[in-house]
Amino acid sequence: MTIDSEVLAASTTAPTPATASSGLPGLFRDSWALTLRNFIHIRRNPERLLDATVQPIMFTVLFVYVFGGAIPVEGGYRDFLMPGIFVQTLAFSCFGTALGLAADRKSGFIDRLLALPTSRSALLVGRVTTDMLISCLTLTILICTGLVVGWRPHESPANVALAIGLMLLFSFSMTWLGVLLGCVVTEPEAVMGVGFIVLFPLTFIANTFVPTEGMPTVVQTMAEWNPISWVTAAARERLGNSNPTLETSDIWPLQHPVIATLLVCAALSAIFAPMALARYRRLTRG
């Protein structure tokens, strides 16, 4: 019996099909079963976590020890860099959502799931729950890596918790882009290509790795109005890390990065959630 078959059997055990997944209890049960199914896949294929664990550590070591000495920043490059690494990695987490949904479409798992008395929303809820838990794991690994290489937060535990909450809220908002991408792109192999074309430039044309004041005027303007820069600035402010854009830029989002981050998360959800849910309903229409 395959992993998917075992989980499908577990999630549909009920007296009658008509009441198998009715109401919130059925949704929670099916969603949890599918979340466990996702983690079973990861346990059987741990290389699926490489982009969420090894890659961020590699970026941290590369930038700290290779580029850090060449990028002078007041307060130290490590304190400047780590919030940027946090935000970039969580932005890329939407790839996991997209890859998971695209793989389920290609394997026919969604079709098999729809033939059973399970909640249609359970697959989506389980996928998002899995990816948010992975984001928490990734952020924990990155924080530990940052502490090892010399990064330190300089604010109160409450402000540090607020920074973590803002970054995870941003990650959750980005999952809607991942859902939309996973429902539109038919091949899992194409997800990374499409995603990198969109997200890779956004995370580099920003204040994530270098201060914006040294950029050419046009690039600097793009970087300062890049929402990734606002989320990064909010993380730096709440963590008490070096945040030069507060002094070098007078645009409203960088002067009020926490409020700007909340607006960005609301906008991402408002734009991509309806589109993603509409596409998902079309995909699961019986």
Side-chain angles (χ1 to χ4, degrees), residues 67-239:
F67 301 115
I71 306 176
V73 178
E74 184 179 352
Y77 186 66
R78 288 174 175 83
D79 278 5
F80 175 83
L81 171 70
M82 290 311 300
I85 293 284
F86 297 157
V87 174
Q88 185 212 39
T89 303
L90 292 178
F92 284 164
S93 66
C94 67
F95 290 156
T97 307
L99 282 168
L101 284 175
D104 285 340
R105 290 179 63 194
K106 185 175 182 179
S107 67
F109 177 74
I110 293 179
D111 294 332
R112 297 198 300 274
L113 189 70
L114 294 177
L116 296 170
T118 56
S119 171
R120 294 188 178 184
S121 301
L123 177 68
L124 188 56
V125 175
R127 182 75 261 165
V128 172
T129 301
T130 301
D131 295 328
M132 286 306 301
L133 291 173
I134 292 174
S135 291
C136 291
L137 172 64
T138 302
L139 191 55
T140 300
I141 292 172
L142 276 174
I143 289 173
C144 293
T145 304
L147 293 172
V148 169
V149 300
W151 164 80
R152 295 291 184 273
H154 303 292
E155 281 288 349
S156 65
N159 275 321
V160 172
L162 176 58
I164 293 172
L166 286 171
M167 290 187 287
L168 289 176
L169 178 62
F170 174 65
S171 178
F172 174 74
S173 303
M174 289 295 292
T175 61
W176 293 116
L177 175 60
V179 171
L180 180 62
L181 190 60
C183 291
V184 171
V185 180
T186 56
E187 292 292 331
E189 295 80 7
V191 168
M192 295 300 289
V194 174
F196 265 102
I197 290 173
V198 176
L199 281 182
F200 200 76
L202 280 177
T203 58
F204 274 86
I205 305 177
N207 63 3
T208 44
F209 305 121
V210 295
T212 58
E213 62 264 25
M215 299 177 180
T217 303
V218 174
V219 179
Q220 180 179 354
T221 301
M222 293 171 60
E224 290 179 345
W225 286 100
N226 184 346
I228 298 289
S229 293
W230 309 345
V231 180
T232 304
R236 289 188 178 121
E237 180 183 280
R238 294 298 93 190
L239 292 169

Side-chain angles (χ1 to χ4, degrees), residues 8-40:
L8 286 173
S11 65
T12 55
T13 302
T16 61
T19 60
S21 294
S22 60
L24 285 177
L27 173 61
F28 289 148
R29 185 188 64 247
D30 294 344
S31 299
W32 181 243
L34 290 166
T35 301
L36 293 178
R37 170 250 182 187
N38 294 333
F39 279 109
I40 290 172

